[in-house]
Coordinates of all heavy atoms in Angstrom, one line a residue:
M1 N 18.4 10.2 -9.9 CA 17.2 9.7 -9.2 C 16.3 8.9 -10.1 O 16.0 9.3 -11.2 CB 16.4 10.9 -8.6 CG 15.2 10.4 -7.8 SD 14.1 11.8 -7.3 CE 14.9 12.1 -5.7
K2 N 15.9 7.7 -9.6 CA 15.1 6.8 -10.4 C 13.7 7.4 -10.4 O 13.2 8.0 -9.5 CB 15.0 5.5 -9.7 CG 16.2 4.6 -9.8 CD 15.9 3.3 -9.1 CE 17.1 2.4 -9.1 NZ 16.8 1.1 -8.5
E3 N 13.0 7.2 -11.6 CA 11.6 7.6 -11.7 C 10.8 6.7 -10.8 O 11.0 5.5 -10.7 CB 11.2 7.4 -13.2 CG 9.9 8.0 -13.5 CD 9.5 8.1 -14.9 OE1 10.4 7.7 -15.8 OE2 8.4 8.5 -15.3
Q4 N 9.8 7.3 -10.2 CA 8.9 6.6 -9.3 C 7.5 6.4 -9.9 O 7.1 7.3 -10.6 CB 8.7 7.5 -8.0 CG 10.0 7.8 -7.2 CD 10.4 6.6 -6.3 OE1 9.6 6.0 -5.6 NE2 11.7 6.3 -6.4
Y5 N 6.9 5.3 -9.7 CA 5.6 5.0 -10.2 C 4.7 4.7 -9.0 O 5.0 4.1 -8.0 CB 5.7 3.7 -11.1 CG 6.6 3.9 -12.3 CD1 7.9 3.4 -12.2 CD2 6.2 4.6 -13.4 CE1 8.8 3.6 -13.3 CE2 7.0 4.8 -14.5 CZ 8.3 4.3 -14.4 OH 9.2 4.5 -15.5
M6 N 3.4 5.2 -9.2 CA 2.4 4.9 -8.1 C 2.0 3.5 -8.3 O 1.7 3.0 -9.4 CB 1.3 5.9 -8.2 CG 0.3 5.6 -7.1 SD -1.2 6.7 -7.1 CE -0.4 8.3 -6.8
M7 N 1.9 2.8 -7.2 CA 1.5 1.4 -7.2 C 0.4 1.2 -6.2 O 0.5 1.6 -5.1 CB 2.6 0.4 -7.0 CG 3.7 0.5 -8.0 SD 4.9 -0.8 -7.8 CE 6.2 -0.2 -8.9
Y8 N -0.6 0.4 -6.6 CA -1.7 0.0 -5.7 C -1.1 -1.3 -5.0 O -0.5 -2.1 -5.7 CB -3.0 -0.3 -6.4 CG -3.9 -1.2 -5.7 CD1 -4.7 -0.7 -4.6 CD2 -4.1 -2.5 -6.0 CE1 -5.6 -1.5 -3.9 CE2 -4.9 -3.3 -5.3 CZ -5.7 -2.8 -4.3 OH -6.5 -3.6 -3.6
F9 N -1.4 -1.5 -3.8 CA -1.1 -2.8 -3.2 C -2.2 -3.3 -2.3 O -3.0 -2.6 -1.8 CB 0.2 -2.7 -2.3 CG 0.1 -2.0 -1.0 CD1 -0.3 -2.6 0.1 CD2 0.4 -0.6 -0.9 CE1 -0.4 -2.0 1.3 CE2 0.3 0.1 0.3 CZ -0.1 -0.6 1.4
K10 N -2.2 -4.6 -2.2 CA -3.2 -5.4 -1.4 C -2.3 -6.4 -0.6 O -1.7 -7.2 -1.2 CB -4.2 -6.1 -2.2 CG -5.2 -6.9 -1.4 CD -6.2 -7.6 -2.3 CE -7.1 -8.5 -1.4 NZ -8.1 -9.2 -2.3
A11 N -2.2 -6.2 0.7 CA -1.4 -7.0 1.5 C -2.2 -7.8 2.5 O -3.1 -7.3 3.2 CB -0.4 -6.2 2.3
E12 N -2.0 -9.1 2.6 CA -2.5 -10.0 3.6 C -1.5 -10.1 4.7 O -0.4 -10.5 4.4 CB -2.9 -11.3 3.0 CG -3.6 -12.2 4.1 CD -3.9 -13.6 3.5 OE1 -3.5 -14.0 2.4 OE2 -4.7 -14.3 4.3
I13 N -1.9 -9.7 5.9 CA -0.9 -9.8 7.0 C -1.5 -10.5 8.2 O -2.7 -10.6 8.3 CB -0.5 -8.3 7.4 CG1 -1.6 -7.5 7.9 CG2 0.3 -7.6 6.3 CD1 -1.2 -6.2 8.5
Y14 N -0.6 -10.9 9.1 CA -1.1 -11.5 10.3 C -0.9 -10.5 11.4 O 0.2 -10.1 11.7 CB -0.3 -12.8 10.6 CG -0.8 -13.5 11.9 CD1 -2.0 -14.1 11.9 CD2 -0.1 -13.3 13.1 CE1 -2.5 -14.7 13.0 CE2 -0.6 -13.9 14.2 CZ -1.8 -14.6 14.2 OH -2.3 -15.2 15.4
D15 N -2.0 -10.1 12.0 CA -1.9 -9.1 13.1 C -1.7 -9.9 14.4 O -2.7 -10.5 14.9 CB -3.2 -8.3 13.1 CG -3.3 -7.2 14.1 OD1 -2.6 -7.3 15.1 OD2 -4.0 -6.2 13.8
E16 N -0.5 -9.8 15.0 CA -0.2 -10.5 16.2 C -1.0 -10.0 17.4 O -1.4 -10.8 18.3 CB 1.3 -10.5 16.4 CG 2.1 -11.3 15.4 CD 3.6 -11.2 15.7 OE1 4.0 -10.7 16.7 OE2 4.3 -11.8 14.8
V17 N -1.3 -8.7 17.4 CA -2.0 -8.1 18.5 C -3.4 -8.6 18.6 O -3.9 -9.0 19.6 CB -2.0 -6.6 18.5 CG1 -2.8 -6.0 19.6 CG2 -0.5 -6.1 18.5
A18 N -4.1 -8.6 17.4 CA -5.5 -9.1 17.3 C -5.6 -10.6 17.1 O -6.7 -11.2 17.1 CB -6.2 -8.4 16.2
N19 N -4.4 -11.2 16.9 CA -4.3 -12.7 16.6 C -5.2 -13.1 15.5 O -6.0 -14.1 15.6 CB -4.7 -13.4 17.9 CG -4.3 -14.9 17.8 OD1 -3.3 -15.2 17.1 ND2 -5.0 -15.8 18.5
C20 N -5.1 -12.4 14.3 CA -5.9 -12.8 13.2 C -5.3 -12.2 11.9 O -4.4 -11.4 12.0 CB -7.4 -12.2 13.3 SG -7.4 -10.4 13.3
K21 N -5.7 -12.7 10.8 CA -5.3 -12.2 9.5 C -6.2 -11.0 9.1 O -7.3 -11.0 9.5 CB -5.5 -13.3 8.4 CG -4.6 -14.5 8.5 CD -4.9 -15.4 7.3 CE -4.1 -16.7 7.5 NZ -4.4 -17.7 6.4
R22 N -5.6 -10.1 8.4 CA -6.3 -9.0 7.9 C -5.7 -8.5 6.5 O -4.6 -8.8 6.2 CB -6.4 -7.8 8.9 CG -5.2 -7.1 9.2 CD -5.4 -6.1 10.3 NE -4.2 -5.6 10.9 CZ -3.5 -4.6 10.5 NH1 -4.0 -3.8 9.5 NH2 -2.4 -4.2 11.1
I23 N -6.5 -7.7 5.8 CA -6.1 -7.2 4.5 C -5.9 -5.7 4.6 O -6.8 -5.0 5.1 CB -7.1 -7.6 3.4 CG1 -7.4 -9.1 3.3 CG2 -6.7 -7.0 2.1 CD1 -6.3 -9.9 2.8
E24 N -4.8 -5.2 4.1 CA -4.6 -3.8 3.9 C -4.5 -3.4 2.5 O -3.9 -4.2 1.7 CB -3.4 -3.3 4.7 CG -3.6 -3.4 6.2 CD -2.4 -2.7 7.0 OE1 -1.4 -2.4 6.4 OE2 -2.6 -2.5 8.2
H25 N -5.0 -2.3 2.1 CA -4.9 -1.8 0.7 C -4.3 -0.4 0.8 O -4.5 0.3 1.8 CB -6.3 -1.6 0.1 CG -7.2 -2.8 0.1 ND1 -7.2 -3.7 -0.9 CD2 -8.0 -3.4 1.1 CE1 -8.0 -4.7 -0.6 NE2 -8.5 -4.5 0.6
G26 N -3.6 0.0 -0.2 CA -3.0 1.3 -0.2 C -2.2 1.6 -1.5 O -2.3 0.8 -2.5
F27 N -1.5 2.7 -1.5 CA -0.7 3.2 -2.6 C 0.6 3.6 -2.1 O 0.7 4.2 -1.1 CB -1.4 4.4 -3.3 CG -2.8 4.1 -3.8 CD1 -3.9 4.3 -3.0 CD2 -2.9 3.6 -5.1 CE1 -5.2 4.0 -3.5 CE2 -4.2 3.3 -5.6 CZ -5.3 3.5 -4.8
I28 N 1.6 3.3 -2.9 CA 3.0 3.7 -2.6 C 3.6 4.1 -3.9 O 3.1 3.8 -5.0 CB 3.9 2.6 -2.0 CG1 4.1 1.4 -2.9 CG2 3.3 2.2 -0.6 CD1 5.2 0.5 -2.5
Y29 N 4.7 4.8 -3.8 CA 5.6 5.2 -5.0 C 6.8 4.3 -4.9 O 7.4 4.1 -3.8 CB 6.0 6.6 -5.0 CG 4.9 7.6 -5.5 CD1 4.1 8.3 -4.6 CD2 4.8 7.7 -6.8 CE1 3.2 9.1 -5.0 CE2 3.8 8.6 -7.3 CZ 3.0 9.3 -6.4 OH 2.0 10.1 -6.9
A30 N 7.2 3.7 -6.0 CA 8.4 2.9 -6.1 C 8.9 2.9 -7.5 O 8.1 2.9 -8.5 CB 8.1 1.5 -5.6
P31 N 10.2 2.7 -7.8 CA 10.7 2.7 -9.1 C 10.4 1.4 -9.8 O 10.3 1.3 -11.0 CB 12.2 3.0 -9.0 CG 12.5 2.8 -7.5 CD 11.2 2.9 -6.8
T32 N 10.3 0.3 -9.1 CA 10.1 -1.0 -9.7 C 9.3 -1.9 -8.7 O 9.2 -1.6 -7.5 CB 11.4 -1.8 -9.9 OG1 12.0 -2.1 -8.7 CG2 12.4 -1.0 -10.8
I33 N 8.7 -3.0 -9.2 CA 8.0 -3.9 -8.4 C 9.0 -4.5 -7.3 O 8.6 -4.7 -6.2 CB 7.4 -5.1 -9.2 CG1 6.3 -4.5 -10.2 CG2 6.8 -6.2 -8.4 CD1 5.0 -4.2 -9.6
K34 N 10.2 -4.8 -7.7 CA 11.2 -5.3 -6.8 C 11.4 -4.3 -5.6 O 11.4 -4.7 -4.4 CB 12.5 -5.5 -7.5 CG 13.6 -6.1 -6.6 CD 14.9 -6.3 -7.3 CE 15.9 -6.9 -6.4 NZ 17.0 -6.0 -6.0
D35 N 11.5 -3.0 -5.9 CA 11.6 -2.0 -4.8 C 10.4 -2.0 -4.0 O 10.4 -1.8 -2.8 CB 11.9 -0.7 -5.4 CG 13.3 -0.6 -6.0 OD1 14.3 -1.0 -5.4 OD2 13.4 -0.1 -7.2
A36 N 9.2 -2.1 -4.6 CA 7.9 -2.2 -3.9 C 7.9 -3.4 -2.9 O 7.5 -3.2 -1.8 CB 6.8 -2.2 -4.8
G37 N 8.4 -4.5 -3.4 CA 8.5 -5.7 -2.5 C 9.4 -5.5 -1.4 O 9.1 -5.9 -0.2
E38 N 10.6 -4.8 -1.6 CA 11.5 -4.5 -0.5 C 10.9 -3.6 0.5 O 11.1 -3.7 1.7 CB 12.8 -3.9 -1.1 CG 13.6 -5.0 -1.8 CD 14.8 -4.4 -2.6 OE1 15.0 -3.2 -2.6 OE2 15.5 -5.2 -3.2
W39 N 10.1 -2.6 0.0 CA 9.4 -1.7 0.9 C 8.4 -2.5 1.8 O 8.4 -2.3 3.0 CB 8.6 -0.7 0.1 CG 7.6 0.0 1.0 CD1 7.8 1.1 1.8 CD2 6.2 -0.3 1.2 NE1 6.6 1.4 2.5 CE2 5.6 0.6 2.1 CE3 5.4 -1.3 0.7 CZ2 4.3 0.5 2.6 CZ3 4.1 -1.4 1.1 CH2 3.5 -0.5 2.0
A40 N 7.6 -3.4 1.2 CA 6.7 -4.2 1.9 C 7.4 -5.1 3.0 O 6.9 -5.2 4.1 CB 5.9 -5.1 1.0
E41 N 8.5 -5.6 2.6 CA 9.3 -6.5 3.6 C 9.8 -5.6 4.8 O 9.7 -6.1 5.9 CB 10.5 -7.1 2.9 CG 11.2 -8.1 3.7 CD 12.3 -8.8 2.9 OE1 12.7 -8.4 1.8 OE2 12.9 -9.8 3.5
S42 N 10.2 -4.4 4.5 CA 10.7 -3.6 5.6 C 9.5 -3.0 6.4 O 9.6 -2.8 7.6 CB 11.6 -2.4 5.1 OG 10.9 -1.5 4.3
W43 N 8.4 -2.7 5.8 CA 7.3 -2.1 6.5 C 6.5 -3.2 7.3 O 6.2 -2.9 8.5 CB 6.3 -1.5 5.4 CG 5.1 -0.9 6.1 CD1 3.9 -1.4 6.2 CD2 5.1 0.5 6.6 NE1 3.0 -0.5 6.8 CE2 3.8 0.7 7.1 CE3 6.0 1.5 6.8 CZ2 3.4 1.9 7.7 CZ3 5.6 2.7 7.4 CH2 4.3 2.8 7.8
Y44 N 6.3 -4.3 6.7 CA 5.5 -5.4 7.4 C 6.3 -6.4 8.2 O 5.8 -7.1 9.1 CB 4.5 -6.1 6.4 CG 3.4 -5.2 5.9 CD1 3.4 -4.8 4.6 CD2 2.4 -4.8 6.8 CE1 2.3 -4.0 4.2 CE2 1.4 -4.0 6.3 CZ 1.3 -3.6 5.0 OH 0.3 -2.8 4.6
G45 N 7.5 -6.6 7.7 CA 8.4 -7.6 8.4 C 7.8 -9.0 8.3 O 7.2 -9.4 7.3
D46 N 7.8 -9.7 9.4 CA 7.3 -11.1 9.5 C 5.8 -11.2 9.5 O 5.3 -12.3 9.3 CB 7.8 -11.8 10.8 CG 9.4 -12.0 10.8 OD1 9.9 -12.0 9.7 OD2 9.9 -12.1 11.9
E47 N 5.1 -10.1 9.6 CA 3.6 -10.1 9.6 C 3.1 -10.4 8.2 O 1.9 -10.8 8.1 CB 3.1 -8.8 10.1 CG 3.4 -8.6 11.6 CD 2.8 -7.2 12.0 OE1 2.3 -6.4 11.2 OE2 2.8 -7.0 13.3
I48 N 3.8 -10.2 7.1 CA 3.3 -10.3 5.8 C 3.1 -11.8 5.4 O 4.0 -12.6 5.6 CB 4.2 -9.6 4.8 CG1 3.4 -9.4 3.5 CG2 5.5 -10.3 4.5 CD1 4.0 -8.3 2.6
I49 N 1.9 -12.0 4.9 CA 1.6 -13.4 4.4 C 1.7 -13.4 2.8 O 2.4 -14.2 2.3 CB 0.2 -13.8 4.8 CG1 0.1 -13.9 6.3 CG2 -0.2 -15.1 4.1 CD1 -1.3 -14.0 6.9
S50 N 1.1 -12.4 2.2 CA 1.2 -12.2 0.7 C 0.9 -10.8 0.4 O 0.3 -10.0 1.2 CB 0.2 -13.1 0.0 OG -1.1 -12.7 0.3
I51 N 1.4 -10.4 -0.8 CA 1.2 -9.0 -1.2 C 1.1 -9.0 -2.8 O 1.7 -9.8 -3.5 CB 2.3 -8.0 -0.8 CG1 1.8 -6.6 -1.0 CG2 3.6 -8.4 -1.4 CD1 2.5 -5.6 -0.1
Y52 N 0.2 -8.1 -3.2 CA 0.0 -7.9 -4.7 C 0.2 -6.4 -5.0 O -0.2 -5.6 -4.3 CB -1.5 -8.3 -5.0 CG -2.0 -7.8 -6.3 CD1 -1.7 -8.5 -7.5 CD2 -2.7 -6.6 -6.5 CE1 -2.1 -8.1 -8.7 CE2 -3.1 -6.2 -7.7 CZ -2.8 -7.0 -8.8 OH -3.2 -6.5 -10.1
F53 N 0.9 -6.2 -6.1 CA 1.2 -4.8 -6.5 C 0.7 -4.7 -7.9 O 0.8 -5.6 -8.8 CB 2.7 -4.5 -6.6 CG 3.3 -4.4 -5.2 CD1 4.1 -5.4 -4.7 CD2 3.1 -3.2 -4.4 CE1 4.7 -5.3 -3.5 CE2 3.7 -3.1 -3.2 CZ 4.5 -4.2 -2.7
E54 N 0.1 -3.5 -8.2 CA -0.3 -3.2 -9.6 C 0.1 -1.7 -9.9 O -0.4 -0.8 -9.3 CB -1.9 -3.2 -9.7 CG -2.3 -3.0 -11.1 CD -3.8 -3.2 -11.3 OE1 -4.4 -4.1 -10.5 OE2 -4.4 -2.6 -12.2
P55 N 1.1 -1.6 -10.8 CA 1.6 -0.3 -11.2 C 0.4 0.5 -11.9 O -0.3 -0.1 -12.7 CB 2.7 -0.5 -12.2 CG 3.1 -2.0 -11.9 CD 1.9 -2.7 -11.4
L56 N 0.3 1.7 -11.6 CA -0.8 2.6 -12.2 C -0.2 3.4 -13.3 O 1.0 3.7 -13.3 CB -1.4 3.4 -11.1 CG -2.0 2.7 -9.9 CD1 -2.5 3.7 -8.9 CD2 -3.1 1.7 -10.3
D57 N -1.1 3.8 -14.2 CA -0.7 4.7 -15.3 C -0.2 6.0 -14.7 O -0.7 6.4 -13.7 CB -1.8 4.9 -16.3 CG -2.2 3.7 -17.1 OD1 -1.3 2.8 -17.3 OD2 -3.4 3.6 -17.5
E58 N 0.7 6.7 -15.5 CA 1.1 8.0 -15.1 C -0.1 9.0 -15.1 O -1.0 8.8 -15.8 CB 2.2 8.5 -16.0 CG 3.5 7.7 -15.9 CD 4.5 8.3 -16.8 OE1 4.6 9.5 -17.0 OE2 5.3 7.5 -17.3
G59 N 0.0 10.0 -14.3 CA -1.0 11.0 -14.3 C -1.6 11.1 -12.9 O -1.3 10.3 -12.0
P60 N -2.5 12.0 -12.7 CA -3.1 12.2 -11.4 C -4.1 11.1 -11.1 O -4.6 10.4 -12.0 CB -3.8 13.5 -11.5 CG -4.0 13.7 -12.9 CD -2.9 13.0 -13.6
L61 N -4.3 10.8 -9.8 CA -5.3 9.9 -9.4 C -6.5 10.7 -8.8 O -6.4 11.5 -7.9 CB -4.7 9.0 -8.2 CG -5.7 8.0 -7.6 CD1 -6.1 7.0 -8.6 CD2 -5.0 7.4 -6.4
F62 N -7.6 10.6 -9.5 CA -8.8 11.4 -9.1 C -9.7 10.6 -8.2 O -9.8 9.4 -8.3 CB -9.6 11.8 -10.4 CG -8.8 12.7 -11.3 CD1 -8.1 12.3 -12.4 CD2 -8.8 14.1 -11.0 CE1 -7.4 13.1 -13.2 CE2 -8.1 15.0 -11.8 CZ -7.4 14.5 -12.9
T63 N -10.4 11.3 -7.3 CA -11.3 10.7 -6.3 C -12.3 11.7 -6.0 O -12.3 12.9 -6.4 CB -10.4 10.3 -5.1 OG1 -11.3 9.7 -4.2 CG2 -9.8 11.5 -4.4
T64 N -13.3 11.3 -5.2 CA -14.3 12.2 -4.7 C -13.8 13.0 -3.5 O -12.8 12.5 -2.8 CB -15.6 11.5 -4.3 OG1 -15.3 10.7 -3.2 CG2 -16.1 10.6 -5.5
E65 N -14.4 14.0 -3.1 CA -14.0 14.8 -1.9 C -14.1 13.9 -0.7 O -13.2 13.9 0.2 CB -14.9 16.0 -1.8 CG -14.5 16.9 -0.6 CD -15.3 18.1 -0.4 OE1 -16.3 18.3 -1.2 OE2 -15.0 18.9 0.5
Q66 N -15.2 13.1 -0.6 CA -15.4 12.2 0.6 C -14.3 11.2 0.7 O -13.7 10.9 1.7 CB -16.7 11.6 0.6 CG -17.0 10.8 1.8 CD -17.0 11.6 3.1 OE1 -17.7 12.6 3.2 NE2 -16.2 11.2 4.1
E67 N -13.9 10.6 -0.5 CA -12.8 9.6 -0.5 C -11.5 10.2 0.0 O -10.8 9.6 0.7 CB -12.7 8.9 -1.8 CG -13.8 8.0 -2.2 CD -13.8 7.6 -3.7 OE1 -13.3 8.3 -4.5 OE2 -14.3 6.4 -3.9
A68 N -11.2 11.4 -0.6 CA -10.0 12.1 -0.2 C -10.0 12.4 1.3 O -8.9 12.2 1.9 CB -9.8 13.4 -1.1
T69 N -11.1 12.9 1.8 CA -11.2 13.3 3.2 C -11.0 12.0 4.1 O -10.2 12.0 5.1 CB -12.5 13.9 3.5 OG1 -12.6 15.1 2.7 CG2 -12.6 14.3 5.0
D70 N -11.6 10.9 3.7 CA -11.5 9.7 4.4 C -10.0 9.2 4.4 O -9.5 8.8 5.5 CB -12.3 8.6 3.8 CG -13.8 8.8 4.0 OD1 -14.2 9.6 4.8 OD2 -14.6 8.1 3.3
I71 N -9.3 9.3 3.3 CA -7.9 8.9 3.2 C -7.1 9.8 4.2 O -6.2 9.3 4.9 CB -7.4 8.9 1.8 CG1 -8.0 7.8 1.0 CG2 -5.9 8.8 1.7 CD1 -7.8 8.0 -0.5
M72 N -7.3 11.1 4.1 CA -6.5 12.0 4.9 C -6.7 11.7 6.4 O -5.8 11.8 7.2 CB -6.8 13.4 4.5 CG -6.2 13.8 3.2 SD -6.3 15.5 2.7 CE -8.0 15.7 2.5
E73 N -8.0 11.4 6.8 CA -8.3 11.1 8.2 C -7.6 9.9 8.6 O -7.1 9.8 9.8 CB -9.8 11.0 8.4 CG -10.5 12.4 8.4 CD -12.0 12.3 8.5 OE1 -12.5 11.1 8.6 OE2 -12.7 13.3 8.4
R74 N -7.6 8.9 7.8 CA -6.9 7.6 8.1 C -5.4 7.8 8.3 O -4.7 7.2 9.1 CB -7.2 6.5 7.1 CG -8.6 5.9 7.2 CD -8.8 4.7 6.4 NE -8.4 4.8 5.0 CZ -9.3 5.2 4.1 NH1 -10.6 5.4 4.4 NH2 -9.0 5.2 2.8
M75 N -4.8 8.7 7.5 CA -3.4 9.0 7.5 C -3.0 9.7 8.8 O -1.8 9.8 9.2 CB -2.9 9.8 6.3 CG -3.0 8.9 5.0 SD -2.6 9.9 3.6 CE -0.9 10.3 3.9
A76 N -3.9 10.4 9.5 CA -3.6 11.2 10.6 C -3.2 10.4 11.8 O -2.7 10.9 12.8 CB -4.9 12.1 11.0
W77 N -3.5 9.1 11.8 CA -3.2 8.3 13.0 C -1.7 8.2 13.0 O -1.0 7.9 13.8 CB -3.9 7.0 13.1 CG -3.7 6.1 11.8 CD1 -4.6 6.1 10.8 CD2 -2.7 5.2 11.5 NE1 -4.2 5.2 9.8 CE2 -3.0 4.7 10.2 CE3 -1.5 4.8 12.1 CZ2 -2.1 3.7 9.6 CZ3 -0.7 3.9 11.5 CH2 -1.0 3.4 10.2

């Protein structure tokens, strides 16, 4: 199994339903930037305009309780 790295991403996409561009931010695990790009292509498909990845250092990602709660609430949809 390949080692996975946490990566921050910022994606500019075209939302066909709202008929506008929007920016999404998030974190994924991927073994390489290439694999991260393949994930983005399969996740966003033709909606993707551009994407930026930044691999993060190993170790835990710390946040405040409010930030963690906000993230978990957004993931519930």
Side-chain angles (χ1 to χ4, degrees):
M1 178 186 273
K2 290 182 180 180
E3 190 169 355
Q4 300 278 316
Y5 300 97
M6 185 181 291
M7 297 189 194
Y8 161 77
F9 72 88
K10 178 180 178 181
E12 181 181 12
I13 62 171
Y14 182 76
D15 186 331
E16 292 180 4
V17 174
N19 195 31
C20 66
K21 292 181 188 179
R22 65 184 167 94
I23 304 290
E24 289 191 346
H25 305 266
F27 298 92
I28 64 165
Y29 280 98
T32 66
I33 296 283
K34 180 180 183 251
D35 290 311
E38 290 171 357
W39 166 85
E41 186 175 12
S42 68
W43 183 261
Y44 290 111
D46 293 337
E47 293 179 351
I48 195 160
I49 297 168
S50 66
I51 193 156
Y52 166 81
F53 291 103
E54 184 172 333
L56 303 177
D57 291 333
E58 291 183 33
L61 178 64
F62 294 98
T63 184
T64 66
E65 181 177 8
Q66 185 61 54
E67 289 170 330
T69 301
D70 290 347
I71 290 168
M72 290 187 292
E73 286 176 1
R74 285 193 304 271
M75 291 176 64
W77 53 267

